[in-house]
Amino acid sequence: LRDAKYFLNSAYIDEFERIYLVNSDPLGKTINIQNQIDNTWKFSIITLFRLYKIAIETSRQFNKKYNLKLLEPLLKITEDSGYMNSKAVEIWYLLIKFHTGAYSSDTFYSLKEALVQNAGIFDPIEGFILHVSLLGFCYDMNILPGRGFHKEEFEIIKSMLKNDLLIQGNTIYSEWFMYAFISAIRAGDVKFAEKFIADHKHMIPQKEKNNVINHAMAELELERKNFTEALKHLALPRYNNVGEKLRANHMYVKLYFETGMTEQF
């Protein structure tokens, strides 16, 4: 890991080393604290960017007010400091720029490339937060005509799977299972979708497994244009929540349209 915790721990080690060296060098002539300063700055920058990101999202969702006036100076310090030689600092910097005015495809691709190539430097919580920010942009693009980001969305999901960000212990929750599966379908990788079901179906919570697997199989058959088989799978679930019902209704509308079942549509 090379995230905020790493730089904080490194700064502590630098401090312990400095105190130890004082014993043999009371005047501190050979002691250099630049490394400790740099590690402390990197920890501080990453931690503050993470907090500012949460504050920005909370402000938009719940109309809360936070004092963000020091964010611009922090961005400038980061740009001028040379601390973006740390990939963690660079990625969090790009994410803040992404959420504060540079919400564009160019910033998205820069952030996505940096994150996917360096996902392993973050602990799972940090990695999850960063990936979800990119998925949010894909969602926004996918609902705009002619701006499909299904391939990009699928690549992000694959990165999350590769780094165990969607699995907790031996469990993958139903919504993330379906999100990963449908991302593969939308990106046109049916073989990956089939293998994903085989590899992960035993990880779905037991009370949700029947519904989730039948929904996934219905999506597969819909993609293969086996509409009758898809309808058979949709007839089996006993719905546990509104999300499942909406997902089923979405498939039913497409199936009725494709089969010309006007009354049912």
Side-chain angles (χ1 to χ4, degrees), residues 170-219:
N170 195 37
T171 299
I172 181 169
Y173 291 103
S174 58
E175 289 306 317
W176 279 110
F177 180 97
M178 287 303 296
Y179 193 165
F181 167 79
I182 290 173
S183 294
I185 292 291
R186 299 291 181 266
D189 197 334
V190 175
K191 288 186 178 179
F192 182 96
E194 292 172 335
K195 188 174 186 303
F196 178 79
I197 293 175
D199 291 346
H200 296 87
K201 61 184 179 182
H202 67 282
M203 299 181 180
I204 305 168
Q206 191 62 39
K207 68 177 183 179
E208 301 167 0
K209 185 179 295 185
N210 179 64
N211 288 7
V212 171
I213 296 301
N214 278 299
H215 282 188
M217 294 305 299
E219 284 279 6

Side-chain angles (χ1 to χ4, degrees), residues 47 50 53 57-58 97 99 197 213 251 256 258 265:
T47 302
R50 183 175 186 264
K53 188 258 187 188
E57 289 190 337
T58 306
K97 296 290 283 186
H99 284 288
I197 293 175
I213 296 301
M251 283 190 277
Y256 292 151
E258 293 288 353
F265 180 87

